[in-house]
Amino acid sequence: MRAVILCAGEGTRMRPLTYSKAKHLIPIANKPVIDLILQAIKDGGIREIGIVVSPGTKASFKSYLRDGSRYDLDLSYIVQQKPKGLAHAVQCAQGFVGSESFLLYLGDNLLENGVRGLVKQFRQGDSHAVISLVEVDNPRSFGVAWLKNGEIKKVVEKPDDPSTNLAVIGTYVFDYHIFAAIEKISPSKRGELEITDAIQQLIDDGYRVVPHRVTGWWKDVGTPMDMIDANQLLLDAMIPETRMKSGISLQVKGKIAQNENARVRDSKLIGPVIMGENVVIEGSVIGPYVSIGDGVIIKNSKIENSIILEKAVITDAKSIDRSLIGRYAELRVMGDSSSRFLLGDHSQVLKGSSECC
Ligand code: G1P
């Protein structure tokens, strides 16, 4: 079985960060989302993976992931020229998949328990498709499924008035019949070929489509706040690589994963916190739930529930909460009130500073 990961979305809800990087390459708990997905697929027993990218992001995916040998995976890149919908993206991958069954993974979904159970269920069953479902509070925001006698009988994309709360999430296994179903559907109201409509077509054509009930947490990381929430979930599950000890000028509580060359002094760390290489922290209170990328410098600041990307510099920020700070960003804010920031790469916030640029 092969896998197809859809990563061609423009990431408009993640701007400004996605102006300089595809959202799938942004790290959560110091690991790019795509790394977490590749690991989950590998754990599901699949090694040949096609990544559907946009013409604008292909180069950045390729330069980061290359041929996949570093992960012991075989990666191919498939370009979706225009954002014409998820089913269209699947159609673009038809040449890669051939007549094999395949795992379809939407590149902004993270699952606590990965895709092992889904793949196993398809392999052991006799269906033409297995669709992952999760009960949600807001079914209007998703594809929604209706079941009968252990099979999926109806799916509707973002219904106005759903009578069920079973959401179709972003992991599915299909056999080759899905391609004929996609041929038959037309663009939806939003002008896209919907994967939900292709699944309904499969059902209408008499093929057996069955549900897979997801266990553990599931997170769609389409917005910065989703990323902050996923950061909490991943840090909670983190096994610390090294444990820091409290010292004369350092207080440590909870799980801290840090690189040995981190320089932390006169500070308080409240785990879980993860730190990359060459991090400098002075006179600060960090945590809980903070991910700090390589080369970040934090001085005289207090930060919780946040993701700080590579080489950002934060000084005198008295209370940062639920923030996502881009690479090489510079943040210097005097004042005591709690603040939330969403800063793109290389941005500057120098409030209260007398310096000018
Ligand atoms: C897509 C699918 C939808 C599914 C959702 C899961 O929606 O079309 O059926 O429930 O992913 O994340 P989108 O996020 O593209 O609006």
Side-chain angles (χ1 to χ4, degrees):
M1 188 185 288
R2 294 184 170 197
V4 174
I5 312 175
L6 304 190
C7 295
E10 291 175 352
T12 48
R13 291 176 300 165
M14 283 293 298
R15 285 175 183 162
L17 282 148
T18 42
Y19 283 126
S20 48
K21 222 180 204 294
K23 66 178 169 184
H24 321 86
L25 299 175
I26 295 173
I28 303 180
N30 283 6
K31 272 211 173 130
V33 171
I34 191 74
D35 284 44
L36 300 164
I37 293 175
L38 290 175
Q39 187 61 51
I41 295 176
K42 190 175 167 186
D43 290 345
I46 301 173
R47 289 196 53 256
E48 284 173 274
I49 302 172
I51 305 179
V52 181
V53 292
S54 70
T57 57
K58 183 180 174 186
S60 55
F61 275 96
K62 258 191 128 167
S63 76
Y64 177 62
L65 299 171
R66 300 178 185 275
D67 64 356
S69 46
R70 149 166 82 98
Y71 303 86
D72 192 25
L73 292 170
D74 185 354
L75 301 183
S76 304
Y77 298 90
I78 301 151
V79 178
Q80 183 186 21
Q81 292 295 345
K82 291 210 166 113
K84 292 191 199 163
L86 298 178
H88 175 260
V90 173
Q91 218 169 22
C92 296
Q94 187 169 5
F96 168 75
V97 167
S99 57
E100 279 187 52
S101 299
F102 64 100
L103 166 75
L104 176 66
Y105 198 125
L106 308 189
D108 49 13
N109 277 244
L110 293 175
L111 292 106
E112 181 175 16
N113 296 326
V115 291
R116 255 177 303 193
L118 170 67
V119 171
K120 190 171 163 201
Q121 185 182 339
F122 181 85
R123 286 199 157 123
Q124 292 180 347
D126 60 351
S127 63
H128 299 279
V130 181
I131 314 292
S132 302
L133 301 180
V134 170
E135 282 183 27
V136 295
D137 298 331
N138 53 338
R140 280 180 196 81
S141 308
F142 300 98
V144 169
W146 281 263
L147 311 183
K148 197 176 170 191
N149 301 330
E151 290 189 24
I152 297 181
K153 285 298 167 202
K154 188 172 145 193
V155 280
V156 178
E157 184 65 25
K158 306 191 177 78
D160 291 334
D161 194 12
S163 57
T164 155
N165 63 350
L166 280 180
V168 173
I169 65 148
T171 52
Y172 327 68
V173 182
F174 295 111
D175 73 7
Y176 66 92
H177 290 100
I178 192 68
F179 294 112
I182 296 171
E183 288 288 335
K184 292 187 190 175
I185 61 170
S186 310
S188 63
K189 275 186 276 177
R190 59 173 172 174
E192 297 188 359
L193 288 182
E194 305 288 349
I195 193 66
T196 328
D197 291 343
I199 297 168
Q200 186 62 51
Q201 187 65 50
L202 210 53
I203 298 166
D204 293 345
D205 287 345
Y207 294 105
R208 204 169 121 76
V209 177
V210 299
H212 169 74
R213 291 301 191 104
V214 168
T215 58
W217 56 255
W218 156 71
K219 197 87 203 118
D220 177 338
V221 288
T223 67
M225 286 311 117
D226 291 332
M227 287 221 163
I228 300 294
D229 291 341
N231 187 53
Q232 290 196 2
L233 293 165
L234 290 168
L235 288 183
D236 264 335
M238 173 177 84
I239 303 161
E241 285 149 26
T242 50
R243 273 188 186 277
M244 282 184 104
K245 287 201 181 86
S246 293
I248 298 165
S249 62
L250 180 66
Q251 273 179 276
V252 180
K253 267 170 69 179
K255 289 193 292 184
I256 312 291
Q258 53 117 206
N259 199 285
E260 266 154 40
N261 56 21
R263 284 180 287 144
V264 186
R265 64 183 172 108
D266 302 326
S267 294
K268 184 173 176 185
L269 300 179
I270 308 158
V273 169
I274 188 168
M275 283 180 247
E277 287 184 16
N278 296 312
V279 167
V280 175
I281 298 175
E282 289 175 10
S284 297
V285 180
I286 308 295
Y289 300 111
V290 180
S291 293
I292 303 170
D294 292 347
V296 166
I297 300 173
I298 302 171
K299 293 187 179 171
N300 303 321
S301 297
K302 180 173 181 296
I303 307 175
E304 60 187 305
N305 293 312
S306 295
I307 299 175
I308 319 294
L309 301 183
E310 194 189 334
K311 301 254 170 77
V313 178
I314 300 175
T315 321
D316 298 326
K318 292 301 172 218
S319 184
I320 294 182
D321 190 14
R322 290 185 76 74
S323 295
L324 222 168
I325 312 289
R327 296 177 307 148
Y328 298 91
E330 191 182 349
L331 179 57
R332 198 179 321 148
V333 267
M334 308 293 186
D336 286 329
S337 58
S338 171
S339 308
R340 275 164 70 172
F341 295 93
L342 170 61
L343 296 186
D345 293 350
H346 298 276
S347 41
Q348 292 188 325
V349 179
L350 306 175
K351 192 172 161 221
S353 162
S354 56
E355 279 173 43
C356 184
C357 13

